[in-house]
Amino acid sequence: MASSNFKQLRVAVVGGGLGGLAAAVALRRSGHLVDIYERRDFNVEVGASISCAANGTQWLREWNVDIPDMKPVILMKLVMRDWETGKILNQYNLDGYEEQWGNVYNMFHRQDMHATLLKTATSPEGEGTPCTVCVDHICESVDYEKGTVTFTNGRTISADLIIGADGIRSVVRGQIGVIPEMASAPQTCYRCNVKREDIDKFGLQQYALEPAIHYWGGMEGKNGRSKFYKIVMSPCSGYDIVSFYCFMPTELTKHFEEGFAFSEVPVSDITQGRYDQLDPECLDLIKHSVDRMPWRLYKHEPYPHWFKGKACILGDAAHPMMPHQSQGACQAIEDAAALGIIFSDKYNFTNDVPAGLAMYQTIRKPRGTRVQETSWRATLNINERIGFTSLSAPDAALAAKEDKLTINEMNSYKMHDHIAAEVAKLSA
């Protein structure tokens, strides 16, 4: 039953990445007026593949996002390969995935996903008032009690609810008193893409175009190769692009600033160290790559809180995680979904935003922190990755721990029920 006390909120979303746009869509659908403030123009949006498992896809469907417009590849298997030979060591099949979980496992290209979410947020079509977008707005400070955001261009805006979706180097996070406890990860990454036309042109390995995520490495090699050497490959953008995440020990990188860098590097930056021992067919694909960009990784300890007053954080601003559970985008989408539900007309939180954000933290922080922690464990052992945790490890000594993260844990979760139960406790 809808609350008779529903109040339309003015919402300021600081950051127009995937998490910020998801939050904008969710809150638009819930009946609010949303303004998105992005530090730069969107034409620099680049990147590789994005995993969107059933726990993320369900919210895109609930918000009536045009998923086919994102040119998805529907994932059908996870394949673990030997670093040197490419021999298949383990395989997790996703046959029956949609039947079991009610949604498919989508692989998107970041640019396609971003463009469709932006369109959904701002289009005159669809439920709710179209969101507005302001580019070239770099957040300088936030007053979480007054509900104001000041930007480096001198502009100050007021909002009933402020959402910090400003990523790994979040300003909003610091403004609500969170000081990250962080350290350089022992592993760094380069992202790159191979065009389908080049796979065909140069006669490269056709299994790159399977609806699968292929993995090489991710565990200690018998010849002393570090477990931090790892490849993650998957098609996206309607099979027009094959995306690579190429990991290696951090000491091999020349890049030091946390997060993505938007400057292309030569292929020689990637093919270092033990990459000279990599499966030749995989290495040949990487040598024909484009859009080669560094991604410096840091390990963050869980933050003490995600909100203060009228301001909160979500996505990488709230729970930056290593990428090895492929849950970063899904967890940002879940953050957005929680805000959309909590501030819907189903509850009374639109009249008490800080109480609503306390509920948001109650709902999201334990689950987000759980995925953050198991993503670190999967950094150290590929057998801790969702999917592979349901199989017997090729090497019994590398079997996942008892409290491993599973597909069932991620996909059987019912957020609507969880929020309803927590709200009921407030009035008990």
Side-chain angles (χ1 to χ4, degrees):
M1 180 180 295
S3 168
S4 59
N5 298 317
F6 177 78
K7 171 188 172 185
Q8 187 179 58
L9 302 177
R10 170 68 70 178
V11 181
V13 178
V14 180
L18 298 178
L21 292 179
V25 171
L27 287 155
R28 170 185 172 171
R29 294 291 189 251
S30 292
H32 301 295
L33 303 176
V34 184
D35 301 306
I36 304 161
Y37 299 93
E38 169 57 24
R39 64 182 293 115
R40 56 180 177 264
D41 201 319
F42 290 124
N43 62 10
V44 300
E45 190 67 29
V46 294
S49 62
I50 295 288
S51 290
C52 193
N55 65 305
T57 298
Q58 66 167 322
W59 300 109
L60 300 181
R61 291 181 63 188
E62 185 161 316
W63 301 331
N64 291 315
V65 175
D66 184 359
I67 294 176
D69 189 54
M70 295 180 176
K71 297 187 280 188
V73 169
I74 297 175
L75 191 69
M76 296 307 297
K77 58 185 176 180
L78 308 177
V79 182
M80 185 189 299
R81 293 180 174 274
D82 179 77
W83 179 266
E84 297 177 357
T85 67
K87 176 186 174 183
I88 294 177
L89 302 176
N90 222 341
Q91 183 167 303
Y92 185 80
N93 293 315
L94 278 70
D95 300 333
Y97 184 94
E98 181 179 13
E99 182 180 356
Q100 183 173 8
W101 304 116
N103 290 283
V104 299
Y105 191 137
N106 286 300
M107 298 300 298
F108 300 119
H109 189 278
R110 176 179 291 271
Q111 287 173 304
D112 297 332
M113 189 177 188
H114 188 274
T116 301
L117 284 174
L118 180 61
K119 188 187 307 180
T120 307
T122 58
S123 172
E125 300 177 358
E127 184 180 359
T129 303
C131 307
T132 64
V133 176
C134 301
V135 297
D136 300 321
H137 276 64
I138 301 173
C139 180
E140 183 174 72
S141 63
V142 173
D143 188 322
Y144 53 80
E145 292 179 342
K146 292 181 180 178
T148 61
V149 182
T150 299
F151 300 94
T152 56
N153 60 12
R155 184 182 179 193
T156 297
I157 58 96
S158 297
D160 302 303
L161 168 62
I162 299 165
I163 300 172
D166 48 342
I168 196 77
R169 297 187 285 270
S170 173
V171 173
V172 178
R173 181 175 61 208
Q175 293 292 295
I176 65 169
V178 175
I179 301 174
E181 182 182 340
M182 54 185 277
S184 176
Q187 181 186 62
T188 195
C189 182
Y190 290 85
R191 304 168 303 165
C192 61
N193 297 312
V194 180
K195 298 177 182 177
R196 177 171 187 157
E197 61 195 64
D198 287 339
I199 292 176
D200 295 336
K201 177 181 177 181
F202 296 108
L204 304 176
Q205 184 48 255
Q206 288 294 307
Y207 67 65
L209 297 172
E210 293 178 346
I213 302 179
H214 292 264
Y215 302 83
W216 287 258
M219 34 189 178
E220 299 284 354
K222 290 185 170 57
N223 59 2
R225 186 189 69 251
S226 168
K227 59 193 169 190
F228 299 126
Y229 284 100
K230 181 181 176 182
I231 302 283
V232 182
M233 178 189 81
S234 62
C236 56
S237 199
Y239 293 97
D240 286 339
I241 292 173
V242 175
S243 165
F244 282 82
Y245 289 84
C246 302
F247 298 91
M248 65 186 66
T250 295
E251 58 265 25
L252 296 181
T253 188
K254 305 172 184 176
H255 305 277
F256 302 101
E257 187 175 24
E258 184 177 19
F260 298 131
F262 296 98
S263 55
E264 189 158 5
V265 300
V267 72
S268 58
D269 276 20
I270 300 176
T271 55
Q272 302 183 66
R274 297 296 181 93
Y275 272 75
D276 63 0
Q277 300 170 356
L278 178 62
D279 171 13
E281 291 179 340
C282 180
L283 186 60
D284 207 19
L285 285 161
I286 293 171
K287 287 180 177 179
H288 288 88
S289 63
V290 296
D291 304 327
R292 296 179 298 270
M293 298 189 185
W295 182 18
R296 183 64 189 267
L297 302 170
Y298 281 71
K299 182 178 186 291
H300 287 239
E301 298 303 321
Y303 301 149
H305 59 274
W306 289 11
F307 85 99
K308 193 168 282 187
K310 300 177 181 178
C312 71
I313 49 179
L314 64 65
D316 283 347
H319 44 72
M321 58 186 67
M322 297 293 283
H324 299 294
Q325 294 291 6
S326 301
Q327 272 285 319
C330 285
Q331 290 307 296
I333 290 170
E334 286 193 8
D335 295 342
L339 289 168
I341 297 168
I342 289 165
F343 291 107
S344 71
D345 63 4
K346 188 174 182 179
Y347 302 108
N348 292 317
F349 291 114
T350 56
N351 291 286
D352 189 346
V353 169
L357 292 180
M359 179 58 65
Y360 162 69
Q361 179 170 285
T362 296
I363 296 297
R364 286 296 304 139
K365 191 171 184 295
R367 183 167 158 95
T369 299
R370 162 84 166 142
V371 177
Q372 186 181 29
E373 189 270 334
T374 56
S375 295
W376 173 249
R377 281 164 43 180
T379 305
L380 305 177
N381 180 5
I382 191 174
N383 295 289
E384 291 277 1
R385 200 269 186 206
I386 301 168
F388 294 139
T389 55
S390 301
L391 302 174
S392 297
D395 182 344
L398 293 174
K401 296 179 181 178
E402 286 298 316
D403 61 340
K404 59 194 177 186
L405 191 65
T406 65
I407 287 180
N408 183 67
E409 179 179 346
M410 297 313 298
N411 290 352
S412 63
Y413 173 67
K414 306 296 184 186
M415 188 187 294
H416 280 287
D417 294 347
H418 186 191
I419 293 173
E422 291 295 332
V423 172
K425 290 180 185 178
L426 298 178
S427 56

